[in-house]
């Protein structure tokens, strides 16, 4: 089967900026694509796009099916990469059987879903029942598009999400998520000593759902621990602490600006000794922990925290509940609940310092999700932080009976000769929101192999894309679920 049009469309949409919150351009592109091909299309106020294509002759008796994905992508880049996600096209590279990008995220999550759907829609050779394509916006920053989508516009009661990242698997459940924002205002004083910047970089990072079980280092927490060791032997006054860029991404880098009376050489020596002990702890998960130290001459800051507040802040960041918090009681090697301190940032307002943290909480069960959110809030309050839940969506919970799951399992087995794996996912999918809005929906999630999503190391298997496309087309052409 010719899969060239899938890759053609993926390359084309990769030229269009589509970071979360910036999807108007790609949304309009998809609307125009539908109109050019004479298809019914609805674009809502959130820039979600719903496209309908009538059944092939002879397939009118079968139930309508919806293929679903999201058009936005996570925008992450290497530290030294010069790139503007609001205007620059993604630079795609073919490497060892994979598509990857030059120093940025690839956007395979979830651009490949868009590309597959476009290839199916434009074909006059693929047989199918009544078909709906739903492509949503802002999935990566709180599933805004899916939350806003009017589910009554969807005619299908069968939905195939194409946003999982392992070929040969059918996902039947996914985690819900809440984001807890914590903030505290500190009194500040004038800077009186030398000012330094210390930066931690080169960490693996990764998706806070898919990769949380790998026990990689959180750059902000690692830096806080490093600096607390220093603060125990010298006076440290924090001017600025920043780490991470996305709630749902494990921080790869973090930096602190601080004042101390310690000389540069002694400071460098001590920090390297402290870092060596931390490197040993992460010897299996992190191969490239980097640290840079520089003495600042031109200082943009005017105020700093006192010694006591600086140590308390470092303690708060270092000991934040983070990573895997509970494993599933029912599924082997599946994370039940987790927390990721994705962002730390500092603001200077009216002569004071405001420290903010964002924690992305995930769980397969709503009761655990709420419990962990409350635990994070109580932890923050114990250090004098104000904490609130800013964004939340429920888990997609497993259903015992699923007609579409059984059908896709059989199609896969017919194609490759063995059964697919039926799995639950600790990452979040929009499917939970759709199921909550319409409990009659029969839902599964599939997709090709995508490695290291949400990082500049993201890559997608070319072979797995081809296999996924053949799998999906075969499912449409052999469709036998009657109305």
């Amino acid at each position: 089967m010719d899969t060239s049009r899938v890759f053609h469309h993926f390359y084309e949409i990769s030229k269009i900026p589509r970071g979360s919150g910036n999807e108007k351009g790609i949304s309009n592109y998809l609307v125009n694509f539908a109109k050019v091909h004479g298809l019914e299309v609805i674009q809502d106020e959130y820039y979600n796009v719903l496209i309908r294509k009538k059944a092939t002759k002879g397939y009118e008796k079968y139930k309508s099916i919806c293929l679903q994905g999201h058009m936005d992508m996570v925008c992450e880049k290497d530290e030294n990469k010069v790139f503007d996600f609001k205007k620059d096209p993604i630079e795609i590279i073919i490497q060892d059987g994979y598509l990857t990008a030059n120093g940025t995220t690839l956007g395979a999550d979830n651009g490949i879903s868009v590309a597959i759907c476009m290839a199916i829609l434009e074909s006059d050779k693929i047989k199918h029942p009544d078909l709906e394509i739903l492509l949503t916006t802002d999935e990566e920053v709180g599933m805004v598009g899916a939350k806003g989508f009017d589910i009554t516009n969807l005619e299908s009661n069968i939905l195939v999400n194409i946003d999982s990242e392992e070929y040969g698997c059918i996902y039947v459940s996914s985690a819900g998520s809440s984001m807890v924002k914590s903030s505290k205002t500190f009194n500040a004083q004038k800077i009186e000593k030398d000012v330094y910047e210390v930066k931690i970089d080169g960490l693996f990072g990764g998706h806070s759902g898919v990769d949380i079980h790998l026990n990689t280092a959180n750059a902000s927490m690692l830096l806080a621990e490093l600096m607390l060791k220093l603060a125990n032997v010298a006076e440290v006054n924090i001017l600025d602490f920043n780490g991470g860029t996305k709630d749902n991404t494990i921080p790869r880098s973090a930096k602190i600006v601080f004042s101390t009376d310690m000389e540069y050489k002694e400071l460098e020596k001590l920090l390297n000794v402290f870092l060596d002990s931390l490197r040993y702890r992460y010897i299996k998960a992190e191969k490239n922990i980097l640290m840079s130290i520089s003495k600042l001459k031109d200082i943009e800051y005017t105020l700093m925290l006192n010694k006591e507040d600086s140590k308390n802040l470092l303690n708060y960041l270092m000991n934040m509940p983070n990573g895997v918090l509970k494993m599933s009681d029912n599924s082997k090697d599946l994370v039940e609940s987790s927390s990721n301190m994705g962002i730390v940032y500092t603001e200077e307002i009216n002569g004071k310092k405001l420290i903010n943290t964002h924690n992305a909480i995930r769980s397969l069960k709503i009761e655990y999700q709420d419990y962990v959110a409350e635990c994070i809030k109580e932890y923050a309050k114990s250090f004098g932080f104000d904490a609130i839940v800013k964004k939340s969506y429920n888990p997609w919970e497993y259903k015992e009976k699923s007609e579409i799951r059984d059908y896709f399992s059989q199609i896969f087995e017919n194609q490759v000769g063995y059964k697919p794996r039926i799995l639950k996912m600790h990452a979040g999918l929009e499917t939970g929101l759709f199921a909550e809005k319409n409990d009659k929906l029969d839902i599964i999630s599939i997709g090709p192999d995508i490695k290291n999503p949400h990082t500049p190391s993201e890559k997608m298997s070319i072979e797995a894309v081809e296999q996924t496309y053949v799998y999906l087309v075969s499912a449409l052409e052999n469709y036998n679920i009657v109305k």
Side-chain angles (χ1 to χ4, degrees):
M1 183 179 294
D2 182 15
T3 58
S4 61
R5 295 299 293 176
V6 175
F7 293 103
H8 165 78
H9 289 301
F10 185 73
Y11 273 77
E12 289 301 307
I13 65 172
S14 296
K15 297 175 184 177
I16 304 170
R18 51 189 178 89
S20 302
N22 185 35
E23 300 101 333
K24 183 178 180 180
I26 182 65
S27 180
N28 289 341
Y29 178 84
L30 292 169
V31 169
N32 183 65
F33 169 86
K35 290 179 177 178
V36 166
H37 289 85
L39 303 171
E40 181 184 354
V41 60
I42 298 172
Q43 182 186 47
D44 67 17
E45 61 185 298
Y46 299 92
Y47 295 109
N48 297 315
V49 174
L50 177 64
I51 304 172
R52 296 195 181 105
K53 187 176 183 182
K54 291 293 185 181
T56 307
K57 187 177 180 180
Y59 285 72
E60 299 90 346
K61 63 184 177 182
Y62 299 125
K63 289 183 178 180
S64 172
I65 186 171
C66 175
L67 307 182
Q68 189 270 323
H70 63 89
M71 61 185 84
D72 62 315
M73 64 175 283
V74 169
C75 298
E76 287 280 318
K77 66 183 183 70
D78 288 333
E79 181 69 21
N80 297 321
K81 175 71 175 179
V82 178
F83 192 89
D84 187 345
F85 280 102
K86 292 186 177 180
K87 65 179 183 180
D88 295 338
I90 301 297
E91 303 166 25
I92 299 176
I93 299 169
I94 299 175
Q95 190 175 75
D96 301 326
Y98 285 84
L99 295 185
T100 187
N102 181 16
T104 70
T105 37
L106 174 64
D109 175 15
N110 186 226
I112 193 56
S113 175
V114 179
I116 287 174
C117 290
M118 292 176 76
I120 291 172
L121 284 172
E122 74 177 359
S123 174
D124 58 3
K125 296 179 180 179
I126 298 172
K127 299 176 182 179
H128 56 81
D130 282 332
L131 190 61
E132 292 184 299
I133 304 295
L134 174 58
L135 301 170
T136 55
T137 55
D138 269 7
E139 189 270 353
E140 300 289 4
V141 293
M143 307 202 178
V144 178
K147 285 180 179 178
F149 178 70
D150 183 353
I151 201 71
T152 62
N153 283 325
L154 197 67
E155 297 175 353
S156 306
N157 276 334
I158 291 175
L159 187 145
V160 177
N161 169 275
I162 314 172
D163 190 18
S164 55
E165 293 155 358
E166 191 174 358
Y167 174 71
C169 300
I170 296 176
Y171 282 88
V172 294
S173 174
S174 66
S177 180
S178 299
M179 192 278 278
V180 177
K181 180 181 179 181
S182 305
S183 303
K184 182 177 180 179
T185 300
F186 291 84
N187 291 323
Q189 60 193 48
K190 290 183 179 180
I191 302 164
E192 299 174 352
K193 304 166 188 173
D194 291 335
V195 175
Y196 296 88
E197 179 184 276
V198 173
K199 184 173 183 179
I200 293 291
D201 199 2
L203 276 63
F204 179 82
H207 188 294
S208 66
V210 174
D211 300 316
I212 199 73
H213 66 288
L214 299 178
N215 296 317
T216 54
N218 180 307
S220 297
M221 298 179 72
L222 186 70
L223 179 58
E225 184 173 359
L226 178 73
M227 293 303 301
L228 189 59
K229 289 178 181 292
L230 180 67
N232 286 330
V233 296
E235 183 162 343
V236 170
N237 301 94
I238 297 174
L239 283 67
D240 185 75
F241 196 114
N242 281 279
T245 58
K246 300 287 188 302
D247 301 339
N248 57 2
T249 300
I250 302 168
R252 301 170 62 244
S253 65
K255 73 173 183 178
I256 185 172
V257 178
F258 63 100
S259 177
T260 183
D261 55 6
M262 185 174 288
E263 292 295 326
Y264 179 86
K265 288 186 177 180
E266 185 181 2
L267 176 66
E268 182 182 38
K269 181 180 178 181
L270 273 175
L271 287 175
N272 275 300
V273 170
F274 296 149
L275 183 60
D276 281 343
S277 67
L278 297 176
R279 281 194 178 110
Y280 183 77
R281 184 194 305 166
Y282 293 101
I283 194 167
K284 291 184 178 180
E286 301 286 358
K287 305 296 183 184
N288 193 39
I289 300 177
L290 304 175
M291 179 179 66
S292 62
I293 308 166
S294 56
K295 187 173 182 178
L296 302 184
K297 296 181 180 179
D298 298 321
I299 304 169
E300 59 181 290
Y301 311 95
T302 57
L303 299 170
M304 65 182 189
L305 304 187
N306 64 38
K307 178 181 178 181
E308 182 179 356
D309 284 342
S310 295
K311 289 189 72 171
N312 284 337
L313 174 59
L314 294 173
N315 259 307
Y316 169 73
L317 297 175
M318 186 188 86
N319 292 298
M320 175 70 72
N322 191 78
V324 176
L325 303 179
K326 185 181 185 301
M327 299 298 292
S328 172
D329 296 326
N330 302 315
S331 302
K332 184 180 179 182
D333 299 328
L334 177 65
V335 178
E336 179 75 64
S337 303
S338 71
S339 176
N340 175 61
M341 188 172 71
I343 302 176
V344 181
Y345 62 101
T346 306
E347 299 174 275
E348 192 170 298
I349 302 173
N350 298 327
K352 297 185 178 183
K353 294 284 187 179
L354 178 64
I355 308 295
N356 307 276
T357 61
H358 290 191
N359 284 75
I361 292 147
R362 298 180 187 270
S363 182
L364 293 169
K365 295 183 178 180
I366 187 63
E367 58 266 30
Y368 288 144
Q369 181 178 323
D370 293 342
Y371 172 72
V372 174
E374 286 302 313
C375 287
I376 298 294
K377 287 169 64 178
E378 288 303 313
Y379 173 80
K381 289 176 183 178
S382 72
F383 279 85
F385 280 72
D386 294 321
I388 57 172
V389 176
K390 294 284 287 184
K391 295 178 287 188
S392 186
Y393 59 86
N394 290 349
W396 167 34
E397 297 194 359
Y398 174 75
K399 284 187 176 182
E400 289 292 338
K401 294 182 179 180
S402 170
E403 197 171 18
I404 196 63
R405 179 180 70 223
D406 296 341
Y407 173 69
F408 264 71
S409 296
Q410 188 59 58
I411 290 295
F412 184 86
E413 186 175 4
N414 293 345
Q415 178 181 330
V416 301
Y418 58 88
K419 295 181 183 295
R421 298 168 66 199
I422 307 298
L423 298 175
K424 300 174 183 178
M425 180 188 295
H426 186 61
L429 294 172
E430 296 161 297
T431 46
L433 289 166
F434 299 136
E436 187 178 357
K437 291 180 179 184
N438 179 3
D439 60 8
K440 294 181 180 178
L441 276 176
D442 193 359
I443 307 173
I444 59 170
S445 180
I446 63 171
D449 292 337
I450 300 175
K451 310 292 185 184
N452 309 323
H454 297 193
T455 78
S457 300
E458 180 184 8
K459 62 180 183 178
M460 176 173 65
S461 167
I462 294 170
E463 181 183 18
V465 170
E466 294 170 341
Q467 291 170 325
T468 301
Y469 184 66
V470 172
Y471 174 31
L472 191 52
V473 170
S474 178
L476 293 175
E477 294 193 328
N478 291 283
Y479 200 69
N480 60 4
I481 301 178
V482 294
K483 294 179 180 177

